[in-house]
Amino acid sequence: TGYVNVLLLGIGGEGHDGPYLTDTIMVARLKLDSNEVSMVSIPRDYQVKLAGFGYRKINAAFAEGFNKHKDWNEAGSLARQTVSEVTGLSIPYFAVLDFSGFEKAINEIGGVEVNVERTFTDYQYPNSGTGYLPPQTFTAGEQHFNGAQALIFSRSRHAAGPEGSDFARSQRQQKIIQAARSKVQKLNILTDSGTITKLLKTFASHFHTNFSPGQLLRLARIAQSVTSSQISSSSLDPVTGIICPYIEPETKAYVLVPCPGKSADDVKDYFSN
């Protein structure tokens, strides 16, 4: 059809609470004739009707699919089906990476360069137990992040001010993805068998996808010719005026739903545009 639609997912993985709940949900769309890429983040609190499970937050789709038979492809299939129903897009591919694999992969490419838009401090970033790390501060300007720093920057959501939201976090995640892509492009990793071997070892137990190896290689070669100016990023968040916060009367759970006067079709229109 001239497009490649991929569902990009991030999970905590083993050792984390809710290890298969998707902390990151992003639809990436590559237009083949122009090498343009759009990335749209979907908030994990968006409420959906999950096939076989009733109304749930969208971040449960992958987890429920995995827990049924402990199968990555089934997990990806339910997540793809759910996001397809939300976006109106056919999404044949998925890729999921856990926190540990993310951190290791960033280190394997020597870290990333990121422009931090505004200074912020997170005083409640969780440690590996039940407590918190010391306050984590990120200073505005160009910064070099190793894997651990990139993960904290991507996950932080308890800062004061505008950076303390899931929506700001979605934008930071897109920044890290673009920074990693730029670094891989700069290093010309496709010709570096040593780095590819290291990355494959890292990904072996932390990364899962239904792309075949040949498809991944073709996608990587296409991505080599994509420039930063050809990538657009956005997020389905309340700023769009399409979805709004809602408190479930019975459970008191915080969810996001179409705003009054808006519908699921308006959400689909957002993605088609």
Side-chain angles (χ1 to χ4, degrees), residues 143-157:
Q143 306 293 339
H144 175 84
F145 292 156
N146 61 23
Q149 292 166 325
L151 182 63
I152 295 171
F153 181 75
S154 297
R155 292 189 62 208
S156 172
R157 63 190 181 96

Side-chain angles (χ1 to χ4, degrees), residues 11-14 17-22 59 62-63 66-67 70 72:
I11 59 173
E14 293 300 327
D17 289 336
Y20 305 109
L21 294 172
T22 45
N59 72 331
F62 187 85
F66 183 82
N67 290 332
K70 306 302 179 187
W72 296 104

Side-chain angles (χ1 to χ4, degrees), residues 138-212:
F138 294 93
T139 305
E142 288 291 333
Q143 306 293 339
H144 175 84
F145 292 156
N146 61 23
Q149 292 166 325
L151 182 63
I152 295 171
F153 181 75
S154 297
R155 292 189 62 208
S156 172
R157 63 190 181 96
H158 291 294
E163 289 295 333
S165 70
D166 262 353
F167 315 115
R169 181 170 72 160
S170 294
Q171 293 171 345
R172 293 197 302 271
Q173 289 167 358
Q174 292 182 0
K175 274 181 175 287
I176 293 291
I177 288 177
Q178 291 200 43
R181 185 201 65 83
S182 296
K183 187 65 175 288
V184 166
Q185 194 173 39
K186 181 180 178 181
L187 295 175
N188 199 16
I189 280 175
L190 287 183
T191 64
D192 184 347
S193 59
T195 303
I196 286 180
T197 300
K198 288 180 182 178
L199 285 170
L200 288 175
K201 287 180 179 177
T202 293
F203 284 149
S205 56
H206 300 284
F207 173 80
H208 303 275
T209 184
N210 62 342
F211 277 115
S212 70

Side-chain angles (χ1 to χ4, degrees), residues 20-47:
Y20 305 109
L21 294 172
T22 45
D23 216 47
T24 299
I25 307 167
M26 200 178 299
V27 177
R29 190 171 213 212
L30 170 63
K31 189 177 181 184
L32 293 172
D33 63 356
S34 62
N35 283 347
E36 291 175 290
V37 177
S38 65
M39 295 192 299
V40 185
S41 294
I42 300 174
R44 60 184 185 168
D45 292 325
Y46 187 70
Q47 188 181 64

